[in-house]
């Protein structure tokens, strides 16, 4: 886990300093070393420049420093992340008579791509973003892992006569710090997406002019910056549609994934909440690891949110060496500015990962396994129960005239979610009319179910950011809608929802937030349940084996909780989240209220100041169906923009 950066442009002092600013901005991602490489210039002085910050995990010697040059073939790379099948690659290269200069994964990856060409990126299993310069062809490869665990951001110079063509980095903030992007501003459509989802959706970012590579995407560029090739080398559209895997295949794939994720030359721990997902990871890790397994739990003073006792019981049953960190609201408030500053893009989530990662780092660990991904793989969310039922209901009532069906839905919604004053409850019952209009369109149903606000409330909250939104907006860029429809085409309802959960809730929210907040503590988080080969094995299960009983995750329980008393996990599902609802009405109230009632700030980020202020007052007054996530989303957006000095209009 590291930070990478690069510029294609004029090889000279100005771009070298810009590259150095980018790498310096990511010092938290790699406190163990840094480096800059500037390639030879072509006839007009153009070339490739690469920068890197290193967090040493595998091969702690200088032989693994980056930017890394293959001493025999001359290829150069920077890598962020881990290649989990690097030992397999090393063995295959050794069988061909190849010798490597480092025992780590970067050297194996570089020699493989150097010998087989850029398409060999498809053979990599892991979480990674990388750049590889091939001096023989004078071509540059950029690539991102199949499931989008590691980020890679990109910006192109709109000034065709300028001294650079494009730049890339592991963080949006690093690209902003480069100074190359003149008059940066917030992207209006991304602000609208943030207010709908609570996060932005790739390939857009919150900054106009900066984009994200797609998961499983590779791009190839010439030395002068011309794009030569772009393709998605892996998508979920390629997953099998007919179930052929068995429960034994899944159990073996899970064990193999956990074993590979344990590879480390530094101390490693496991985040343990006591739920099924993290407990399965800790249990399998204890079974396959030769070293003691350390587990960490974040507990809260508020007892209704405190999972400390549960996690202690699970840890005792597994046999981990357990560490419990208690977070009180005083500690949260004192470090709120630091925690919010850890987010690379605004999000209403992620701060739990920040506090956990800080505690793990203070305990002397640099790597932590986390259980994210189990709900998406095995149907743990309520969406797996509710959305197929809604789609089936719409199909059965297809003969009812639209007007009559919609009127009935509106009447039922008013009964289940009556108006509570200035704002209707922002709940799924209140969304029923909109969901009925969506019919059996699972993508539209999904986006409506997860929307923070009702569509009319969403529109009312947007000021300048609402200009230009197309009719029937569902919180997603149009190219994302097209890609997701292609990935769900021909799949069952349950399989489609699993794909949407993995691509959106997990891929665009949980993974991105965990990356930036854990790296703020210089901690590498690894996700054994977010593994390409495990996903391929699980996706090949018949639906009745993979998902049923819906929300039980019985397949994960049988594969990962062997030897543990099932009674440990027979309790209602609870998410791993901070008790914001308590804190917003207490110690955080003055800070959040000051931001949400700042008319100039709200207008500058593209929101309607009066509506936002009314929403805050309604929340304080206890308006029904107005949850903390709605408030925190707007606060996170405004505070991020204020921190970085950005608005929806260009700076003067």
């Amino acid at each position: 886990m590291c930070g990478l950066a690069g510029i294609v442009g004029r090889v000279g002092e100005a771009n070298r300093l810009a590259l150095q600013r980018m790498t310096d901005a990511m010092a938290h991602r790699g406190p163990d070393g840094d480096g800059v490489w500037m390639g030879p210039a072509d006839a007009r002085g153009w070339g490739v420049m690469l920068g890197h910050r290193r967090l040493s995990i595998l091969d702690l010697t200088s032989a693994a420093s980056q930017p890394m040059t293959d001493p025999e073939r001359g290829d150069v790379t920077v890598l962020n992340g881990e290649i989990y099948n690097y030992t397999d690659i090393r063995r295959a290269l050794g069988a061909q008579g190849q010798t490597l200069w480092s025992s780590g994964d970067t050297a194996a990856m570089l020699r493989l791509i150097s010998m087989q060409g850029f398409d060999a990126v498809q053979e990599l299993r892991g979480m990674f973003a990388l750049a590889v310069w091939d001096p023989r062809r004078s071509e540059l490869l950029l690539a991102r892992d199949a499931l989008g665990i590691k980020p890679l951001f990109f910006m192109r110079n709109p000034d065709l006569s300028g001294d650079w063509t494009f730049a890339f980095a592991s963080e949006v903030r690093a690209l902003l710090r480069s100074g190359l992007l003149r008059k940066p501003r917030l992207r209006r459509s991304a602000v609208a997406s943030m207010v709908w989802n609570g996060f932005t959706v790739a390939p857009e970012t919150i900054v106009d002019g900066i984009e994200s590579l797609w998961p499983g995407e590779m791009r190839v560029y010439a030395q002068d910056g011309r794009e030569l090739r772009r393709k998605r080398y892996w998508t979920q559209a390629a997953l099998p549609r007919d179930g052929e895997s068995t429960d034994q295949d899944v159990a073996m794939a899970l064990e193999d994934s956990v074993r590979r994720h344990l590879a480390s030359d530094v101390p490693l721990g496991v985040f343990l909440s006591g739920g099924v997902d993290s407990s399965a990871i800790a249990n399998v890790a204890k079974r396959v690891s030769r070293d003691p397994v350390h587990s960490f739990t974040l507990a809260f003073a508020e007892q209704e949110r405190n999972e400390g006792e549960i996690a202690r019981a699970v840890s005792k049953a597994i046999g981990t060496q357990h560490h419990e960190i208690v977070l009180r609201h005083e500690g949260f408030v004192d470090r709120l500015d630091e925690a919010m500053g850890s987010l690379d893009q605004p999000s209403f989530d992620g701060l739990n990962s920040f506090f956990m990662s800080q505690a793990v780092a203070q305990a002397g660990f640099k790597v932590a396994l986390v259980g994210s991904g189990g709900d998406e793989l095995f149907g743990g969310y309520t969406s797996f129960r509710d959305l197929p039922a809604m789609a089936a209901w719409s199909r059965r009532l297809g003969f009812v005239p639209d007007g009559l069906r919609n009127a009935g839905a509106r009447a039922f919604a008013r009964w289940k979610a009556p108006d509570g004053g200035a704002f209707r409850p922002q709940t799924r019952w209140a969304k029923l009319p909109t969901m009925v209009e969506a019919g059996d369109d699972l993508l539209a149903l999904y986006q409506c179910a997860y929307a923070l606000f009702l569509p009319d409330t969403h529109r009312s909250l947007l000021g300048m950011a609402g200009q230009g939104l197309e009719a029937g907006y569902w919180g997603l860029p149009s190219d994302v809608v097209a890609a997701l429809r292609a990935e769900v085409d021909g799949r069952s309802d349950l399989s489609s929802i699993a794909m949407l959960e993995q691509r959106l809730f997990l891929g665009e929210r949980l993974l991105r937030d965990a990356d930036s907040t854990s790296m703020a503590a210089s901690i590498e988080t690894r996700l054994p349940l977010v593994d390409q080969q495990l996903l391929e094995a699980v996706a090949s299960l018949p639906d009745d084996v993979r998902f049923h009983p819906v929300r039980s995750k019985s397949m994960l329980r049988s594969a990962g909780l062997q030897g543990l008393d099932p009674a440990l996990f027979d309790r209602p599902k609870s998410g791993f989240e901070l008790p914001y609802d308590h804190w917003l009405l207490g110690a955080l109230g003055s800070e959040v209220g000051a931001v949400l009632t700042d008319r100039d700030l709200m207008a500058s980020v593209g929101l309607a100041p009066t509506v936002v202020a009314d929403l805050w007052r309604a929340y304080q007054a206890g308006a029904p169906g107005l949850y903390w996530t709605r408030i925190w989303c707007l606060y996170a957006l405004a505070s991020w923009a204020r921190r970085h000095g950005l608005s929806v209009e260009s700076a003067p």
Side-chain angles (χ1 to χ4, degrees):
M1 185 87 70
C2 305
L4 62 83
I7 299 173
V8 173
R10 191 173 304 282
V11 179
E13 184 65 7
N15 280 333
R16 187 194 68 79
L17 291 174
L19 182 60
Q20 191 64 58
R21 287 192 294 271
M22 284 198 283
T23 57
D24 289 346
M26 297 186 291
H28 53 280
R29 298 186 72 94
D32 298 329
D34 68 295
V36 168
W37 176 87
M38 302 182 71
D42 63 12
R44 69 184 189 114
W46 230 249
V48 173
M49 292 146 276
L50 302 176
H52 193 262
R53 296 292 315 204
R54 184 185 182 194
L55 181 66
S56 302
I57 302 295
L58 295 173
D59 187 354
L60 309 185
T61 73
S62 60
S65 296
Q66 299 184 47
M68 178 181 288
T69 302
D70 186 319
E72 295 181 14
R73 302 177 64 86
D75 299 72
V76 186
T77 192
V78 284
L79 168 70
N80 170 30
E82 301 290 346
I83 309 299
Y84 294 127
N85 63 335
Y86 79 100
T87 55
D88 301 334
I89 295 171
R90 292 181 68 90
R91 281 194 294 270
L93 291 172
Q96 300 173 49
Q98 300 293 316
T99 58
L100 300 178
W101 59 99
S102 163
S103 62
D105 57 341
T106 306
M109 175 274 294
L110 181 57
R111 178 59 61 86
L112 174 72
I113 291 178
S114 176
M115 292 181 61
Q116 296 188 10
F118 290 161
D119 284 328
V121 72
Q122 298 171 99
E123 299 183 26
L124 304 179
R125 175 183 178 182
M127 56 174 192
F128 60 83
L130 58 84
V132 176
W133 169 249
D134 182 341
R136 296 173 299 282
R137 297 184 178 180
S138 295
E139 292 180 357
L140 177 71
L141 166 70
L142 301 181
R144 192 176 175 207
D145 68 75
L147 299 183
I149 303 173
K150 304 312 299 175
L152 186 55
F153 301 104
F154 178 98
M155 64 183 186
R156 184 170 289 278
N157 190 355
D159 181 3
L160 299 180
S161 63
D163 285 340
W164 62 283
T165 302
F166 67 85
F168 54 91
S170 296
E171 294 188 357
V172 169
R173 294 171 298 180
L175 291 171
L176 287 174
R177 286 280 298 277
S178 71
L180 295 174
L181 190 63
R182 295 184 179 181
K183 299 181 179 180
R185 64 183 181 184
L186 299 176
R187 188 192 303 261
R188 295 182 185 182
S189 57
V191 171
S193 176
M194 172 72 187
V195 177
W196 184 287
N197 302 294
F199 49 88
T200 60
V201 178
E204 289 188 347
T205 74
I206 196 64
V207 180
D208 198 13
I210 299 179
E211 63 180 285
S212 167
L213 267 69
W214 293 76
E217 183 181 18
M218 57 181 289
R219 302 183 184 184
V220 179
Y221 295 91
Q223 186 166 350
D224 60 6
R226 288 178 296 112
E227 185 177 291
L228 303 177
R229 187 158 61 106
R230 180 191 299 202
K231 76 171 183 176
R232 298 281 300 279
Y233 67 85
W234 190 91
T235 74
Q236 292 203 44
L239 290 174
R241 285 165 168 73
D242 298 320
E244 296 180 355
S245 288
T246 66
D247 53 357
Q248 187 62 30
D249 294 329
V250 172
M252 292 174 61
L254 174 62
E255 182 173 308
D256 180 63
S257 179
V258 172
R259 180 181 289 107
R260 291 177 183 274
H261 282 71
L262 287 170
S264 176
D265 293 331
V266 296
L268 179 150
V270 179
F271 288 0
L272 179 63
S273 70
V276 170
D277 300 358
S278 63
S279 299
I281 296 304
N283 192 45
V284 177
K286 182 65 169 63
R287 187 167 68 238
V288 303
S289 177
R290 293 171 295 184
D291 302 315
V293 174
H294 291 260
S295 57
F296 293 82
T297 294
L298 188 63
F300 306 114
E302 290 77 9
Q303 288 303 309
E304 67 270 26
R305 294 292 178 86
N306 190 359
E307 296 184 336
E309 183 176 349
I310 296 170
R312 287 195 297 273
V314 173
S315 168
K316 182 178 180 181
I318 296 173
T320 66
Q321 298 185 17
H322 195 56
H323 312 255
E324 183 174 300
I325 305 100
V326 178
L327 180 63
R328 294 177 172 82
H329 75 271
E330 298 90 349
F332 180 86
V333 173
D334 290 345
R335 301 191 68 181
L336 177 61
D337 185 67
E338 181 186 0
M340 296 298 290
S342 72
L343 293 169
D344 186 45
Q345 296 191 72
S347 170
F348 76 142
D349 202 2
L351 300 195
N352 45 10
S353 175
F354 170 84
F355 286 102
M356 178 68 87
S357 298
Q358 293 287 327
V360 171
Q362 291 169 12
F365 290 76
K366 295 177 73 171
V367 182
L369 272 57
V370 300
S372 301
D375 289 305
E376 293 79 4
L377 271 182
F378 298 102
Y381 296 130
T382 57
S383 58
F384 289 89
R385 178 196 64 205
D386 298 344
L387 299 189
M390 176 63 73
W393 183 81
S394 295
R395 293 171 191 139
R396 286 195 297 268
L397 295 182
F399 66 91
V400 178
D402 290 348
L404 181 60
R405 189 169 64 236
N406 294 342
R410 286 192 295 270
F412 190 78
R414 285 193 297 271
W415 174 62
K416 291 293 290 186
D419 288 353
F423 291 91
R424 296 167 57 198
Q426 307 295 303
T427 63
R428 286 192 181 179
W429 282 120
K431 297 172 185 173
L432 183 62
T434 307
M435 298 181 77
V436 167
E437 291 177 11
D440 62 352
D441 182 342
L442 274 177
L443 177 57
L445 286 171
Y446 179 91
Q447 280 300 103
C448 183
Y450 272 100
L452 294 177
F453 298 99
L454 299 172
D456 56 349
T457 308
H458 178 262
R459 286 190 295 271
S460 72
L461 285 166
L462 297 179
M464 194 177 298
Q467 297 175 4
L469 288 184
E470 66 274 12
Y473 178 73
W474 291 105
L476 299 172
S478 57
D479 50 352
V480 174
V481 171
L484 293 177
R485 292 203 187 285
E487 292 189 61
V488 302
D489 183 47
R491 297 192 180 281
S492 69
D493 286 352
L494 287 172
S495 179
S496 295
I497 294 166
M499 191 281 296
L500 293 173
E501 293 284 10
Q502 198 282 329
R503 286 280 284 108
L504 294 171
F505 186 82
L506 179 68
E508 302 295 342
R509 173 185 167 185
L510 299 181
L511 297 184
R512 185 190 304 156
D513 291 346
D515 173 77
S516 64
T517 55
S518 62
M519 288 310 303
S522 303
I523 288 289
E524 174 175 289
T525 51
R526 298 179 177 177
L527 305 100
L529 294 176
V530 188
D531 176 81
Q532 180 182 348
Q533 292 188 19
L534 175 60
L535 173 59
E536 290 171 352
V538 172
S540 294
L541 289 168
D543 276 5
D544 60 346
V545 176
R546 178 181 180 184
F547 297 113
H548 294 290
V550 172
R551 300 197 67 211
S552 69
K553 294 186 285 190
S554 60
M555 173 59 69
L556 180 58
R557 290 171 184 251
S558 63
L561 300 180
Q562 298 173 21
L564 301 180
D565 182 357
L568 281 170
F569 307 98
D570 289 340
R571 61 183 187 276
K573 176 180 174 59
S574 61
F576 176 42
E577 63 182 37
L578 302 176
Y580 290 97
D581 45 0
H582 283 269
W583 298 346
L584 277 171
L585 296 174
L588 288 178
S590 59
E591 159 65 16
V592 173
V595 169
L596 297 186
T597 57
D598 185 330
R599 296 184 61 85
D600 291 340
L601 177 58
M602 290 300 107
S604 74
V605 300
L607 302 182
T610 300
V611 181
V612 173
D614 288 346
L615 187 79
W616 168 241
R617 285 189 284 269
Y619 176 78
Q620 288 181 301
L626 186 55
Y627 305 126
W628 68 265
T629 51
R630 281 68 172 167
I631 300 301
W632 196 257
C633 163
L634 303 180
Y635 171 74
L637 169 64
S639 62
W640 190 95
R642 181 180 61 180
R643 178 183 299 274
H644 297 285
L646 298 183
S647 70
V648 291
E649 296 291 351
S650 299

